[in-house]
Amino acid sequence: LTPQQKAELTPILMDSMEQRTEIMEEAGIESGQRPTRQQMMTMRTDLQTLQKDTIEQVSAILTDEQMEEFMLIQQERADEMRAQMQGR
């Protein structure tokens, strides 16, 4: 990443994390707590919208190659999270 890309991405990603935390808190999920099926359903639409918005913002900053890498990392993180949720 270039210094300019870092400067532009940091607030976007930080805001996304903060919004994700707010969505989880609104659904009644505390840090480290496994969400119930109902809580997951409650959050699903909001989290999908947040992810879509974040990806749109990030894609305006990154090159196509960087965006491919970003999406790969996002998928790996989602896979890890699913594995953790199933393992609990």
Side-chain angles (χ1 to χ4, degrees), residues 51-52 54-56 58-59 62-79:
Q51 181 180 20
K52 180 180 173 271
T54 301
I55 288 171
E56 286 177 9
V58 169
S59 69
L62 299 180
T63 65
D64 290 342
E65 184 178 308
Q66 290 171 323
M67 194 61 197
E68 285 180 32
E69 181 69 19
F70 177 80
M71 294 304 294
L72 179 63
I73 291 168
Q74 292 294 93
Q75 185 60 50
E76 289 172 355
R77 287 184 175 171
D79 292 345

Side-chain angles (χ1 to χ4, degrees), residues 12-33:
I12 292 169
L13 297 177
M14 294 299 291
D15 183 55
S16 179
M17 284 187 346
E18 289 171 10
Q19 288 184 50
R20 182 177 313 274
T21 300
E22 288 175 18
I23 291 168
M24 293 177 72
E25 287 174 354
E26 288 173 6
I29 300 171
E30 297 177 20
S31 181
Q33 175 189 5

